[in-house]
Each structure stands twice: as C-alpha cells, then as structure tokens.
Amino acid sequence: MTDHLLQEDSKHSRYQLPESTQRPSKVAKIKGEDFTDDAAAEQDEGEEERKLVEKNMNPNPRLQRYLVAIEYIGTRFSGAQQQSNCRTVVGVLEEAFQKFIGHPVSIFCSSRTDAGVHALSNVCHVDVERISKRKPGEVLPPHEPSVVKRAVNHFLQKNDGDMMVIDVRCVPFDFHARYKAQERTYFYRLSTGKEPLSTFEKDRAWHVPEELDLLAMQKACKILVGRHDFSSFRAAACQAKSPIRNLDELTVTEVGSCPYFPTIREREQGNFAAEDSFSLSNRSKIDPCVSGSFNQLNVQNSDGEVSQGFGIRKRNRCFVVTARARSFLYHQVRLLVGVLKAVGTGDLTVPDVERILKVKTVTAASPMAPACGLYLGHVKYDLPSDA
C-alpha cells in the first residue's frame, strides 16, 4: 500500500513479526482515494459506478479500453497503487505501456494489494490511443489484445521480470476494472513444521513452526462465512463506510508442498499404471503417498529410526486458506488468517472466534498474518460476450 506504517495496537506488541511483515503503522490517502483492502462497500460501489458512467458519457472515440490481467511477485513492489519514489505495480505497468505506445497512460487496478502481497491474477484497465510513430498525429486502428499482451510483456521482462501480463481483452469504455468486479478470491499459504522455509518458498508463505489442527480451523471457518459486521477483522486505518461484508467462502485445505516433485513411490505407481496385465496387482503392493510425505525417501538410520535419505529435504505440511467475496475490508483477509492460525495452534478455541466476531473491535483479534503468504487469486467479471 503506502510506505507509511500502521501503528500496531499495544495489546499486540508482544507478537512482533519480522521487519518485512510488520503491520503498516499509517495509511495515507493518495490522490484522494481511500485504501480499503480491495473495494468500498457494495452500496458505495454502486454510487461510484453511476458517477463514473455519467462522467464518461462522451468518451474519446479514438481510445480503446483494455482489460489487462497481470501476475506479480509482491515482495518486489511497494504495493499496487502508484506512489512517488516507490516501485509499485501500477508504476511499472504504466512504464511498460508508455514504452510500447509512446505516450503516458493511466492504469486502474481492481484490487490495490499491499506491499508484499502477490497476485496470481490482478486485473486493471487502461485506455490507449494508438498514434502513428511515423506520422505524428495520425490515429491508427487499435492494437489487437494479443499484440498488446506480447508487446507489454516484452518491456516487462526487460524490467526485472517480476510481473507478467497473462490476459488482455477489449472492453467498452464504461467498463471499470474495480467497480465491475463481481467477486475476488484470495489465497493464503501456511507452511507448518520445524523445518525452515525452503529457498524456493522464501517470501511466498507464512512459516508456522507449530502443527496446525486442520479440523478446528475448518470449524472456525464456518462461523465466519456469511454476512457479518467484520469490525473485528478491519484494520484501524480502514476507510470503508461500512464494516458489513458478505464472506461467500472461507476454507482451509491441505495441499502439497511447493515446489512439488513426485516421490519414488509416486513414480513407481505411475510406471506400474502403464503396464497392462500387472498394473492392478503391482500397484496394490505400494502404499499411497500420504499427506505430508511429499518428496520423502524413508530409510532407517543406525538407531533404527525412520529418517529421510541424505540430501532429501524434510517437507513441511502446507495449508491454503481461501477467502472469496465481492469486496474485503482493509487487512480483513490477513486478520482472518491470523485468527485461524491461532485456532490451529490451540491459542484460541472455536467459541473464541465467535466471541471475537461479536465484540466488533480489532483489538480482540489475533495478530494478523504477514503479507508474504497472501495471493490475489482471481477477480470475476460478467464480461460482455462481444468483447
């Protein structure tokens, strides 16, 4: 978000996170916009959209609006929104577009992710007027979306390569990436176990040394799903007019560690499956790969204990929290994950979650999860069929 930091409540001061994952202490307005985590309340969005359409009743017919989906590594940006003297998602993307078309553009994101938050697919829109470089002033037909994708990626890859355009399409001029979004899905990765994070997962997940009780976390999710006053899961700097949100989905799922490579047992299973007459009988002799045993080669050491073979990293268990809603409050997802983690470790009980929700104050919630494990996964639209 901004490079200012949100001061943490004194009640939580004993839960200090690493420097790179501290809560922001202050969130400033930039260009007059408020920084709710993703979007304003639904009723506010309708009014904003109406004003936007009225403002654009007579658009420049030479402009083409593109809807652009991007992925990026959040730890390399100071958030999504444009800021002075900071490297941001919007700033880097605008620079790539300017190099492509030869003049400045303004880009508007569907979700203004914080510093450190990744995106599997964030969506923005941009208006482009294609002007001839050979004959200045001559307006040419708009580029095809495939050309825009290829050209912008060319310049992005020359600029550290930590962002990529994954999809582009033409949309009507009144189509707004933020206000037309019907749903946003976030994922949060937790790696649990005594082993430190793999080099390949550094700044990509939250490492929790304790074991997590998956069943307890799933029970807690059921309490939080639905339409509630989420004041207890709303950072102090949130400027949304209403704390009411409808949380359509909140789930916890155990998944394979990342990056994932098949174990010896899995490779053997695949080989046996390719055989004809012996496939079923041979496969039954091999134990299925169980959760938490990814990449493990079990051998006995001199003490008779089962251990990994030399040079085989012991894999932590990995969990993904999925949160889906039309819009979220500022830091809502990270505060939700913080409470779910506390339930998983036994620091909170399932009834505690219900109490925290009802008390309607953020000081009752557990310290929020660090940004590095959060991913904006998908933004859903009702796209025009002729786009």
Side-chain angles (χ1 to χ4, degrees):
M1 188 71 60
T2 69
D3 56 343
H4 299 291
L5 300 177
L6 170 67
Q7 185 174 5
E8 193 169 349
D9 188 271
S10 59
K11 180 178 179 181
H12 297 154
S13 59
R14 64 184 182 276
Y15 297 109
Q16 291 295 319
L17 296 169
E19 182 177 354
S20 61
T21 59
Q22 291 285 335
R23 290 192 195 197
S25 63
K26 184 178 180 182
V27 178
K29 285 189 176 182
I30 296 180
K31 297 181 179 179
E33 295 187 354
D34 64 302
F35 279 75
T36 57
D37 193 31
D38 298 292
E42 295 179 15
Q43 58 267 37
D44 300 329
E45 288 182 342
E47 179 64 17
E48 291 284 355
E49 184 178 337
R50 182 187 65 79
K51 293 179 179 178
L52 185 72
V53 171
E54 290 178 354
K55 180 180 179 180
N56 295 327
M57 289 297 290
N58 297 306
N60 183 346
R62 303 187 302 181
L63 291 175
Q64 174 62 61
R65 177 161 294 186
Y66 294 98
L67 201 61
V68 182
I70 53 175
E71 63 181 16
Y72 50 84
I73 301 171
T75 47
R76 300 180 183 177
F77 297 94
S78 298
Q81 196 68 4
Q82 180 73 278
Q83 301 175 48
S84 59
N85 303 320
C86 290
R87 187 171 187 266
T88 67
V89 171
V90 166
V92 169
L93 191 58
E94 287 181 348
E95 181 182 348
F97 263 94
Q98 181 170 352
K99 289 179 178 178
F100 166 42
I101 63 176
H103 56 83
V105 297
S106 294
I107 288 175
F108 301 88
C109 278
S110 66
S111 303
R112 296 172 286 194
T113 54
D114 289 343
V117 176
H118 315 289
L120 304 177
S121 180
N122 197 349
V123 181
C124 53
H125 75 256
V126 58
D127 297 328
V128 174
E129 183 178 30
R130 185 185 175 192
I131 300 175
S132 174
K133 295 180 180 179
R134 294 183 177 179
K135 299 180 180 180
E138 180 181 356
V139 178
L140 302 175
H143 289 289
E144 289 295 320
S146 60
V147 174
V148 174
K149 176 182 176 181
R150 186 167 60 252
V152 174
N153 275 335
H154 168 75
F155 292 107
L156 287 175
Q157 297 316 301
K158 296 176 68 174
N159 188 354
D160 293 337
D162 43 19
M163 182 194 306
M164 178 175 287
V165 174
I166 59 175
D167 209 353
V168 179
R169 73 181 300 176
C170 298
V171 292
F173 197 81
D174 62 353
F175 193 98
H176 196 284
R178 180 183 178 193
Y179 301 120
K180 288 290 187 179
Q182 295 183 330
E183 189 176 82
R184 295 167 174 86
T185 300
Y186 279 90
F187 300 111
Y188 196 99
R189 291 181 60 88
L190 300 103
S191 177
T192 71
K194 296 180 181 180
E195 291 295 314
L197 278 181
S198 161
T199 302
F200 299 102
E201 284 203 288
K202 181 178 173 57
D203 294 328
R204 305 289 193 278
W206 182 14
H207 179 224
V208 179
E210 305 96 325
E211 290 296 323
L212 296 179
D213 185 338
L214 178 58
L215 182 59
M217 295 170 71
Q218 291 173 335
K219 289 180 179 178
C221 287
K222 294 180 181 179
I223 293 173
L224 296 165
V225 168
R227 189 174 184 83
H228 302 288
D229 181 331
F230 281 102
S231 294
S232 296
F233 300 91
R234 174 187 188 181
C238 182
Q239 297 178 9
K241 295 180 180 179
S242 170
I244 306 296
R245 288 294 183 274
N246 192 70
L247 188 57
D248 297 312
E249 178 186 354
L250 186 65
T251 57
V252 186
T253 310
E254 185 165 6
V255 300
S257 297
C258 179
Y260 172 76
F261 300 100
T263 64
I264 288 179
R265 289 180 176 180
E266 290 174 309
R267 299 197 299 272
E268 288 175 345
Q269 284 179 319
N271 291 335
F272 281 125
E275 298 179 5
D276 296 328
S277 59
F278 300 101
S279 177
L280 292 177
S281 61
N282 285 332
R283 194 184 312 153
S284 65
K285 300 176 183 177
I286 301 173
D287 296 330
C289 178
V290 296
S291 176
S293 65
F294 301 101
N295 278 358
Q296 294 182 7
L297 173 61
N298 293 331
V299 297
Q300 282 192 335
N301 60 22
S302 58
D303 297 325
E305 298 176 345
V306 175
S307 64
Q308 308 303 114
F310 177 77
I312 305 294
R313 166 183 265 275
K314 184 176 180 180
R315 310 297 282 185
N316 289 333
R317 297 176 70 184
C318 187
F319 299 89
V320 172
V321 177
T322 302
R324 179 170 54 85
R326 178 173 181 180
S327 62
F328 292 91
L329 300 167
Y330 182 54
H331 284 165
Q332 181 181 351
V333 178
R334 290 166 61 187
L335 286 164
L336 288 168
V337 173
V339 165
L340 292 177
K341 176 261 185 185
V343 171
T345 58
D347 294 326
L348 292 176
T349 65
V350 174
D352 285 335
V353 177
E354 190 169 6
R355 174 185 57 79
I356 291 170
L357 181 64
K358 290 180 178 179
V359 79
K360 300 178 183 178
T361 174
V362 70
T363 57
S366 300
M368 70 178 180
C372 62
L374 185 59
Y375 298 73
L376 174 56
H378 179 64
V379 184
K380 180 183 177 182
Y381 297 93
D382 182 14
L383 291 170
S385 58
D386 59 346

